[in-house]
């Protein structure tokens, strides 16, 4: 199964990248790991034939938000960060083992309680931009307009708090 | 999916969501106008007019049968009109009280009024929501506006503390809320409340996923209405925010959150076995009432005291929701209206009696000794609000408390109602202490800074405070309001109730 192997590949890479983000010493490295994770998640969306969400994921997260992160990191004084001790590999190994055992336990408990979600069949065009647009501008038009207002509020508020002079 | 006829009912939709659309329009007008004429003094008038137009429109539709508009996104007419009136009245009072207050602290920015209007639009959307998406979008619009308004006075560390705490904890609780919605969607397959109910009637079973969703969902709600144990943010946020806006947070936003909770419980969850969350709500209501009142006893600051008092009042409303009957929900929405009036009035009086230039977060209640003799109008009005908050007959608060406690007794939660009444008796101490300081101490005992200060009361602020007080005096004797709330809730939806 191509889809299944793709899922396993993308899923593993995204989890590894997420771990890499957590344990990376350098914030810039950490941010780059995060980008890899986000790309893999976008790939997962593609395997679910949700092209639109995949594209948005890359554009918004990997593009806009990550650039913002990197800018903030660059403005910080990285030299002032505390020097960390050397990593204890025994502890790291113990942690990995714990995670594996825990996930096995959760899996067993979840299957025995029948908590595992049934595999849903996704319609072919469920993730296409046309489908999303049709629902967004009809069923959810009020929500859509309101989110526009929400963004306006956030922008105006940020500008007001930042730009108004201290009285 | 054919969308050629998608907007055929748009005129009907616009009529149903008229007050919401007017608010959105007024907010955008305020922002655009403010670009060209910075801090134009007409902007509060625009905001207030939007509220007035909304109120007039909704009053006309109070008796109309409830329906849904915008593809079942929000409810309109009937109950929705009643909720909108509660929210819009609080917003109107806030706008009017804010004008002289913000001018005095030199923060009368045009954006503030736009943000109040947008927050109100979010509250209206949330309070009349018919789908979980709408609840969430409305909640976020309201909350984000309020985070900004709480931090309006940026030079004061109290304001910053207030905004930051509100923002961080609010964002955190939003996470719970959203997880709850996601799990509920996973369990029921729908975002729409009536479909949730009918889906349960068809399938007749609830998965564990559903219960997890409900639990997270309730946590999010209980945070927004500041019920114990999710109340920690309330005193600090209320104390540091500008006082009329604190009044707004404690009335409009709380009324909207409770209204949404009532809609979810009544339209979405009523046919399900309610005993499970009834017990949870009963426990939360009990600790909220007890802890809110006990902590209010030891406060020296009026805003902090009112914050704990608003926690306690959230507990009273939860008592009505615990009952889980149509009477209970009717009592809850009735109480919300009365609670909004008395709280906006009490915060309004405290805004007018503020002298520390720190949004009233440093001044003690004792510093205002004998102020009733200097400002008799405010003193008498405060008397009405305090007696009403205690629940003393013949003020509105008494009738409100009857409306929330009686259904609990009928539903078998007598112990909870008794606890509520005892807690209200306890609250008499700290409410009456305000009146004792205002009227039974001499002016010489007041802080020197208070004696040197004139406390000007503009006509508009006085009008708002007096109107609130007068309405509280008469509302209990107008059976129309109480009857109105009762016809909104139909007992027949509670299929599994004994």
């Amino acid at each position: 199964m191509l889809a299944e192997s793709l899922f396993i590949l993308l899923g593993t890479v995204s989890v590894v990248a997420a771990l890499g983000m957590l344990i990376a010493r350098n914030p810039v490295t950490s941010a780059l790991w995060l980008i890899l994770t986000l790309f893999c998640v976008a790939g997962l969306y593609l395997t679910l034939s949700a092209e639109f969400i995949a594209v948005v994921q890359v554009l918004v997260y990997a593009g806009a938000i990550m650039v913002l992160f990197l800018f903030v990191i660059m403005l910080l004084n990285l030299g002032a960060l505390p020097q960390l001790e050397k990593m204890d590999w025994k502890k790291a190994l113990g942690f990995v083992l714990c995670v594996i055992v825990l996930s096995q336990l959760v899996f067993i408990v979840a299957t025995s309680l029948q908590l595992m979600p049934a595999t849903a069949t996704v319609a072919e065009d469920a993730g296409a931009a046309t489908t999303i647009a049709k629902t967004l501008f009809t069923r959810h038009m009020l929500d859509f307009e309101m989110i526009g207002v929400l963004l306006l509020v956030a922008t105006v508020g940020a500008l007001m708090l930042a730009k108004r002079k201290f009285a | 999916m054919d969308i050629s006829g998608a907007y055929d009912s748009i005129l009907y939709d616009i009529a149903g969501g008229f007050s919401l659309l007017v608010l959105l329009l007024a907010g955008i007008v305020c922002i655009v106008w403010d670009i060209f004429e910075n801090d134009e003094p007409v902007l509060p008038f625009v905001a207030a007019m939007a509220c007035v137009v909304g109120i007039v429109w909704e009053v006309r539709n109070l008796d109309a049968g409830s329906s849904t508009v915008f593809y079942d996104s929000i409810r309109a007419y009937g109950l929705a009109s009643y909720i909108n009136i509660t929210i819009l009245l609080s917003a109107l009072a806030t706008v009017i009280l804010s004008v002289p207050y913000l001018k005095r602290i030199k923060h009368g920015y045009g954006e503030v009024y736009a943000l109040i209007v947008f927050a109100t639009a979010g509250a209206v959307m949330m309070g009349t929501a018919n789908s979980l998406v709408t609840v969430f979008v409305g909640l976020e619009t309201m909350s984000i506006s309020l985070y900004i308004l709480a931090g309006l006075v940026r030079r004061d560390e109290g304001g910053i503390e207030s905004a930051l705490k509100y923002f961080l904890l609010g964002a955190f609780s939003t996470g719970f809320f959203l997880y709850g919605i996601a799990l509920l969607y996973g369990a029921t397959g729908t975002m729409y409340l009536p479909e949730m109910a009918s889906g349960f009637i068809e399938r007749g079973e609830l998965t564990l996923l559903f219960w997890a969703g409900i639990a997270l969902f309730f946590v999010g709600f209980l945070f927004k209405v500041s019920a114990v144990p999710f109340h920690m943010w309330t005193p600090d946020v209320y104390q540091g925010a500008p006082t009329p806006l604190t009044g707004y947070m404690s009335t409009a936003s709380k009324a909207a959150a409770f209204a949404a909770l009532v809609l979810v419980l009544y339209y979405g969850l009523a046919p399900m076995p309610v005993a499970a969350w009834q017990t949870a709500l009963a426990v939360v209501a009990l600790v909220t009432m007890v802890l809110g009142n006990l902590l209010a006893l030891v406060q020296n600051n009026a805003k902090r005291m009112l914050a704990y008092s608003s926690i306690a009042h959230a507990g009273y409303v939860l008592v009505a929701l615990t009952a889980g009957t149509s009477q209970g929900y009717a009592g809850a929405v009735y109480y919300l209206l009365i609670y909004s009036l008395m709280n906006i009035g009490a915060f309004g009086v405290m805004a007018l009696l503020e002298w520390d230039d720190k949004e009233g977060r440093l001044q003690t209640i004792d510093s205002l000794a004998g102020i009733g003799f200097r400002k008799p109008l405010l003193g008498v009005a405060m008397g009405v609000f305090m007696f009403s908050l205690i629940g003393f007959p013949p003020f509105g608060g008494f009738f409100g408390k009857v409306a929330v406690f009686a259904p609990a007794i009928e539903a078998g939660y007598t112990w909870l109602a008794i606890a509520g009444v005892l807690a209200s008796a306890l609250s008499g101490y700290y409410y009456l202490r305000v009146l004792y300081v205002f009227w039974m101490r001499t002016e010489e005992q007041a802080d020197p800074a208070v004696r040197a200060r004139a406390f000007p009361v503009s006509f508009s602020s006085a009008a708002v405070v007096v109107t609130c007080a007068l309405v509280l005096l008469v509302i209990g004797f107008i059976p129309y309001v109480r009857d109105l709330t009762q016809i909104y809730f139909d007992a027949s939806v509670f299929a599994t109730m004994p």
Side-chain angles (χ1 to χ4, degrees), chain B residues 33-45:
Chain B
W33 198 333
D34 197 57
I35 294 171
F36 294 107
E37 288 283 331
N38 203 9
D39 303 341
E40 165 71 39
V42 184
L43 294 183
F45 187 72

Side-chain angles (χ1 to χ4, degrees), chain B residues 150 158 161-163 165-166 233-241 246 249:
Chain B
E161 182 196 0
S162 165
K165 277 190 178 160
Y166 199 16
W233 57 279
T234 318
D236 293 335
V237 171
Y238 282 16
Q239 200 178 6
T246 312
M249 286 176 208

Side-chain angles (χ1 to χ4, degrees), chain A residues 22-134:
Chain A
L22 284 178
I23 57 178
R25 298 288 174 89
N26 188 329
V28 178
T29 325
S30 197
L32 292 174
W33 277 118
L34 182 58
I35 293 184
L36 183 56
T37 315
L38 295 172
F39 265 108
C40 289
V41 175
L44 286 177
Y45 285 133
L46 272 182
T47 60
L48 292 169
S49 64
E51 301 92 5
F52 181 71
I53 304 179
V55 171
V56 167
Q57 167 91 4
V58 172
L59 278 183
V60 173
Y61 280 99
I65 292 187
M66 284 318 298
V67 170
L68 190 71
F69 272 18
L70 287 175
F71 261 110
V72 172
I73 291 170
M74 282 187 330
L75 293 175
L76 293 175
N77 182 8
L78 291 183
L81 287 178
Q83 288 297 312
L84 298 169
E85 291 168 32
K86 260 193 93 65
M87 199 157 92
D88 188 347
W89 285 105
K90 274 186 211 157
K91 273 187 189 166
L93 192 65
F95 178 77
V96 170
L97 281 177
C98 284
V99 168
I100 291 172
V101 173
L102 178 73
S103 49
Q104 283 175 333
L105 280 175
V106 168
F107 179 75
I108 290 166
V109 170
T111 32
S112 60
L113 287 177
Q114 286 159 354
L115 280 179
M116 296 297 277
T119 328
T121 45
V122 185
E124 270 303 298
D125 58 347
T130 342
T131 323
I132 292 179
K134 276 180 181 168

